[in-house]
Amino acid sequence: MKTMKWLIKRELWEHKGMLVWAPAVIAALIAALALGSIIMGNHLNFNDDSNPLSIGSVTIEGTARTRIVETMSQAYMVSAMPVLMVLSFVVFFYCLGALNDERRDRSILFWKSLPVSDLSTVLSKVALALVVAPLITFGIGTVLSLLILFAACGAVLAHGTNLFGAMLMSPDLYLTPLRLVGLLPVYILWALPTVGWLLMVSSMARSKVFLWAVGTPLVTSLLLVWAEKMLHIGINASWFVTRIVDRILLGAIPGSWIMFEADHVPLQLEAHRMAVPETIFRGSWATLGGISVWLGVAAGVAMIATAVWMRRRREEG
């Protein structure tokens, strides 16, 4: 366990710019834009509970203020979506170079001189991509969302309406980021095929890793489509694209499982009965009831095992 901890720390030290500073910079830019918009937004006009609540050109009765607080406390993590999208690029490019870079710069000769197995080394990279990187991004996104939320409440307070008390008493303020962290196991299972594919390609390719990782499935898809249309041999090319190519290239995108299982998770039907964050949370966990995710997990584990075997055999890029 101590060896694994130091291996993960080593990976974090070597890729801190990608894993920490990239989402942090994006979050800082979003915060600056949002805060600037709030400060410059002089069109807000809030009155007391006995009068209508005016937001721009939209007027809402004062009794709807509780609903506004409820909506804000449930939806404030939306501002973290650009940061979460950065996570998919971070995981993709980190895994793409994880095993290839150490062969290319010959650092693999140094690491293999240490009493650390190839299995432990590869698993540390998997843990960083599937656990550490998402947690870092979730933390940065949560801080960003809370900053924007309370800045908006401060702007409202400047116009005479105090939402801080109601906001701090709202359970969704605390449950929303916990639900996000609670989706980490779902993310791990759905992203495993992508991580496994990228690590396997990274362990095999001597150069042009991106072209091998992305070009191989895309060219295969085009050939299957051509064979289906021109040769009429009964190949279901669309199934290959949606079930294989999308899974190995898009699995690291947070929430991609909703796209993969859109026909089997009735998120929209349940939205009228519960809060949207709770609907997404339950619907996301419901995707684990299908066989598709577990076939992907098995394939991801097999590809990671192949990456371990290749790292053991190949020492030079």
Side-chain angles (χ1 to χ4, degrees), residues 47-127:
N47 303 309
D48 56 26
D49 291 333
S50 60
N51 295 319
L53 177 60
S54 176
I55 307 179
S57 60
V58 179
T59 300
I60 304 174
E61 293 298 326
T63 55
R65 194 163 303 174
T66 301
R67 196 184 317 154
I68 294 174
V69 171
E70 180 180 344
T71 301
M72 291 175 65
S73 62
Q74 291 176 3
Y76 73 94
M77 288 297 294
V78 173
S79 57
M81 289 303 296
V83 180
L84 296 179
M85 289 299 102
V86 172
L87 173 64
S88 60
F89 292 97
V90 168
V91 172
F92 189 94
F93 287 102
Y94 166 75
C95 292
L96 201 59
L99 298 176
N100 181 264
D101 290 346
E102 65 178 12
R103 295 200 319 275
R104 188 172 55 187
D105 62 16
R106 308 296 295 275
S107 64
I108 189 174
L109 300 177
F110 169 74
W111 295 115
K112 283 202 169 190
S113 68
L114 301 179
V116 179
S117 67
D118 295 291
L119 176 62
S120 297
T121 302
V122 174
L123 288 182
S124 69
K125 298 176 187 296
V126 173

Side-chain angles (χ1 to χ4, degrees), residues 248-295:
I248 64 175
L249 294 183
L250 305 178
I253 300 176
S256 60
W257 51 86
I258 296 176
M259 175 184 68
F260 297 145
E261 296 293 321
D263 297 334
H264 305 287
V265 183
L267 295 178
Q268 295 178 348
L269 295 179
E270 295 187 12
H272 70 282
R273 291 189 282 130
M274 62 182 70
V276 173
E278 178 67 15
T279 303
I280 295 175
F281 181 81
R282 294 192 181 189
S284 297
W285 275 95
T287 62
L288 302 187
I291 192 173
S292 174
V293 60
W294 300 108
L295 291 175

Side-chain angles (χ1 to χ4, degrees), residues 122-182:
V122 174
L123 288 182
S124 69
K125 298 176 187 296
V126 173
L128 190 76
L130 293 179
V131 180
V132 178
L135 288 177
I136 292 173
T137 306
F138 292 171
I140 293 174
T142 300
V143 172
L144 168 67
S145 299
L146 289 172
L147 176 64
I148 295 176
L149 175 66
F150 288 117
C153 291
V156 173
L157 180 61
H159 290 81
T161 300
N162 187 357
L163 297 180
F164 282 101
M167 189 67 66
L168 293 174
M169 292 178 63
S170 174
D172 287 311
L173 177 68
Y174 310 99
L175 291 177
T176 299
L178 292 179
R179 291 190 187 105
L180 183 62
V181 176

Side-chain angles (χ1 to χ4, degrees), residues 154-232:
V156 173
L157 180 61
H159 290 81
T161 300
N162 187 357
L163 297 180
F164 282 101
M167 189 67 66
L168 293 174
M169 292 178 63
S170 174
D172 287 311
L173 177 68
Y174 310 99
L175 291 177
T176 299
L178 292 179
R179 291 190 187 105
L180 183 62
V181 176
L183 290 177
L184 181 60
V186 180
Y187 177 79
I188 291 173
L189 294 174
W190 281 102
L192 198 58
T194 299
V195 171
W197 167 254
L198 295 174
L199 287 175
M200 184 178 72
V201 174
S202 182
S203 69
M204 292 180 173
R206 294 184 180 275
S207 62
K208 308 297 188 294
V209 188
F210 181 83
L211 291 180
W212 281 108
V214 178
T216 301
L218 292 183
V219 170
T220 303
S221 300
L222 292 175
L223 289 175
L224 289 177
V225 171
W226 177 82
E228 181 183 18
K229 301 296 184 183
M230 301 299 295
L231 302 181
H232 305 287

